[in-house]
Amino acid sequence: LVAAYRWATGQASEVLYDVGLWPPGSRALLCGALATSGIPFRMEGSELVVDKAHEAGVDTMVDRFEPRS
């Protein structure tokens, strides 16, 4: 998993999580948990994008649903 920051006018406003290697079911579980929690998100290709204000909560969910090898 790679988390990266998108810079808008010099400040991080969004966090990107690359979930492209996740199985579709794991991505669906994560997106469902985000929706249920009321955390706004969007998918841009294989990247999950959330507002930086929600980073801690999303990190916890990613840890919960990230596939283990």
Side-chain angles (χ1 to χ4, degrees), residues 1-4 14-20 22 27 30-31 34 39-51 58-59 61-62:
L1 172 74
V2 176
E14 296 179 320
V15 182
L16 284 67
Y17 298 87
D18 185 352
V19 295
W22 287 30
R27 286 193 306 266
L30 175 60
C31 291
L34 292 169
I39 296 175
F41 69 94
R42 69 180 183 279
M43 294 297 299
E44 290 185 0
S46 65
E47 295 180 323
L48 171 74
V49 184
V50 297
D51 188 275
V58 175
D59 283 349
M61 289 185 193
V62 165

